[in-house]
Amino acid sequence: MQATVCPHDTAKGLTSWIEFFVVLGAVSKEEIGFLPAQDFPEFYRLWPQVDLVYASPLDALRLEEEHGFLPLAGNDRYDEVVLLVREGVPPRLESFGGARVGAVPDTFAALLGQELLRKSGVRPSELVPFGSWNEVLAALRKGQITHAFLYRDYYEELSPVSLEGTTPVLVSETRRFSHVFLLSPRQAGKKEALLSALLALPEHPMGRPVLEELGIGRFYPVDSTRMIRELVTSG
């Protein structure tokens, strides 16, 4: 069995993910190989080759609906968004009304940011697309945009120097969705064993320390990405 992980996660702890799959293999009694992806294009190219994928909420939706993958488990490291403004702009949600907001399109953070504004009755004029969260932050600091969404995991890794000239307006705590493990339909018969192993990892002597390195406390079962689809279609 081969596994791969969202490149954003491997960029922060490749060694920890290697250890994770060694432990998961030992607990599940499955031999699990790890194929890291250097970037998102490579991550997407790996999907037909792998049996187990750790994916963002929107990629999990694609894996289930377009490729027939079976959702297994999410975790308590929830995907969240940070709404920021350039220094000098009123740090209020209302300032996003009619603004051009920088974000990486087709990401859960951008989707969640738009939903939070919509629920507050605030509508930006447009979403300005960038290729990475680094580019979004750079554009905000240079004044190319005055408002932005950032993926919270990315934001929390930044130093105060990197954030100079910006002010956070809202750090979300929705605790609704996380990255999700999904299983290839080729391996459907192993679903229960793998789910049981994921749920047992926090209590396993080798599982607990590697989960701590990855910032994960526990896993919980996920049977469907329907709720993610509902969020996508709500706007």
Side-chain angles (χ1 to χ4, degrees):
M1 177 179 293
Q2 297 292 331
T4 194
V5 169
C6 172
H8 180 83
D9 293 279
T10 52
K12 295 182 293 183
L14 181 59
T15 301
S16 296
W17 279 108
I18 293 171
E19 294 174 357
F20 173 87
F21 286 112
V22 170
V23 176
L24 181 63
V27 175
S28 65
K29 305 296 191 294
E30 291 288 341
E31 187 173 338
I32 303 176
F34 177 40
L35 299 177
Q38 298 301 312
D39 53 31
F40 279 95
E42 183 179 5
F43 179 57
Y44 299 140
R45 285 195 297 270
L46 285 174
W47 286 1
Q49 305 173 37
V50 296
D51 304 296
L52 188 62
V53 181
Y54 185 67
S56 71
L58 293 189
D59 282 335
L61 183 65
R62 288 179 55 200
L63 279 161
E64 182 182 32
E65 294 192 342
E66 299 175 16
H67 301 273
F69 272 64
L70 308 171
L72 277 180
N75 61 77
D76 59 1
R77 181 177 161 188
Y78 295 96
D79 283 42
E80 303 286 356
V81 66
V82 181
L83 281 63
L84 296 95
V85 296
R86 182 170 164 79
E87 196 171 55
V89 175
R92 300 191 300 270
L93 284 181
E94 292 77 11
S95 74
F96 281 77
R100 300 170 66 248
V101 181
V104 178
D106 300 320
T107 60
F108 183 72
L111 185 70
L112 181 58
Q114 292 175 91
E115 186 204 33
L116 293 173
L117 288 178
R118 185 169 60 250
K119 286 187 172 180
S120 299
V122 177
R123 291 195 175 274
S125 64
E126 65 174 303
L127 202 66
V128 183
F130 291 91
S132 69
W133 299 116
N134 281 332
E135 292 176 26
V136 174
L137 180 60
L140 185 66
R141 294 188 62 185
K142 292 175 183 176
Q144 296 171 357
I145 51 174
T146 55
H147 297 70
F149 300 145
L150 289 184
Y151 179 41
R152 181 171 171 175
D153 268 18
Y154 167 79
Y155 173 81
E156 291 180 342
E157 294 171 8
L158 298 169
S159 68
V161 173
S162 298
L163 289 167
E164 281 183 1
T166 72
T167 305
V169 177
L170 175 68
V171 180
S172 77
E173 288 282 359
T174 61
R175 300 175 65 83
R176 290 171 65 183
F177 302 115
S178 72
H179 279 41
V180 178
F181 269 111
L182 300 99
L183 183 66
S184 165
R186 297 185 302 269
Q187 302 286 357
K190 299 177 181 178
K191 180 178 179 180
E192 293 305 319
L194 284 167
L195 176 58
S196 296
L198 286 167
L199 298 180
L201 284 183
E203 305 306 322
H204 191 279
M206 294 174 62
R208 186 180 300 110
V210 74
L211 289 181
E212 288 176 357
E213 291 175 10
L214 294 172
I216 296 172
R218 65 178 182 87
F219 288 97
Y220 56 84
V222 173
D223 295 322
S224 169
T225 60
R226 177 183 54 82
M227 292 179 64
I228 302 171
R229 167 56 63 194
E230 289 174 357
L231 176 58
V232 170
T233 58
S234 66

